[in-house]
Amino acid sequence: MTPPAFDCGVCLVTDRPALGGRELVEVVAAAVAGGVGMVQLREKTAGTREFVELARAVLAVVRPRGVPLLINDRLDVALAAGADGVHVGQDDMHPADVRTLLGPGAIVGLSVTGEAETRAAAGLPVDYLGAGPVFATATKKDAGAPQGIEGLRRMVALAEVPVVAIGAVTAENAASVLETGVAGLAVVSAICSAADPRAAARELSDIVCARRR
């Protein structure tokens, strides 16, 4: 299956503990209605069967809207659910192996922290780099040291593919993050914990659109 058009302007990275008791699919649907262009399903504690079921439920919401779904880390879940791609970290399956197994039409993302990992990503068969954390974040326990705006700017300059910034990105700091030249913003709490996920997604999407004009 050919994945939907790749738009990394605003990427929602899910975090069920941050939802305040709300249903994941409900929040994802609201975020997509608000302008999220890509969803990354991140589940650190779910069993494989539950993870696949969640992925299929999210796909049922995002696919009719042409929004791609990526699975965090788990290639097996992506294949079972028929997701549009996978986002891997430095300790996960090598991106070249992910590409071989998913094929040329899938979306493959790779997390990088710092200039060394960005340089090492040169030539890899990935569609984008998730660079960060820009600022200190509590949503990912194993996140590296904050890179800050200037560190992010250096990573963007070194990258051969579009860069998506992640790490405590909010509507308040989004404009300064976009000034580094990143292609988009990956957000967790800014949408997952928002009282109105659709409005939060719309605000971020409007900031990205304004930058692109």
Side-chain angles (χ1 to χ4, degrees):
M1 177 181 293
T2 301
F6 176 49
D7 178 11
C8 54
V10 179
C11 173
L12 169 63
V13 180
T14 67
D15 182 31
R16 281 197 288 171
L19 299 180
R22 294 172 297 188
E23 292 295 325
L24 174 66
V25 172
E26 169 192 324
V27 173
V28 169
V32 169
V36 160
M38 185 165 70
V39 175
Q40 182 189 140
L41 187 60
R42 187 168 74 181
E43 288 288 331
K44 294 299 186 182
T45 60
T48 299
R49 185 174 297 182
E50 181 188 10
F51 202 163
V52 172
E53 291 173 352
L54 281 170
R56 288 173 174 158
V58 172
L59 269 173
V61 170
V62 302
R63 184 151 283 164
R65 290 180 172 271
V67 172
L69 173 67
L70 274 63
I71 304 300
N72 189 69
D73 300 348
R74 297 286 301 274
L75 176 68
D76 58 333
V77 172
L79 287 168
D84 301 297
V86 172
H87 184 96
V88 293
Q90 293 292 316
D91 296 325
D92 298 318
M93 184 179 289
H94 193 281
D97 294 324
V98 173
R99 176 63 70 195
T100 296
L101 292 167
L102 285 184
I107 300 170
V108 179
L110 173 67
S111 293
V112 293
T113 297
E115 296 174 51
E117 290 182 358
T118 306
R119 288 192 182 94
L124 294 179
V126 299
D127 297 290
Y128 73 94
L129 299 178
V134 186
F135 310 109
T137 176
T139 61
K140 193 171 189 293
K141 302 302 182 184
D142 58 348
Q147 299 300 300
I149 294 296
E150 291 310 312
L152 179 62
R153 194 186 308 276
R154 291 191 293 271
M155 294 169 72
V156 171
L158 291 168
E160 296 181 342
V161 293
V163 171
V164 178
I166 189 169
V169 175
T170 66
E172 288 69 33
N173 60 36
S176 62
V177 172
L178 289 166
E179 287 174 0
T180 64
V182 296
L185 310 171
V187 299
V188 186
S189 298
I191 291 178
C192 288
S193 297
D196 186 340
R198 178 171 182 167
R202 173 54 59 198
E203 184 176 13
L204 286 161
S205 179
D206 287 346
I207 293 170
V208 171
C209 290
R211 175 70 185 180
R212 289 175 171 178
R213 292 192 188 105

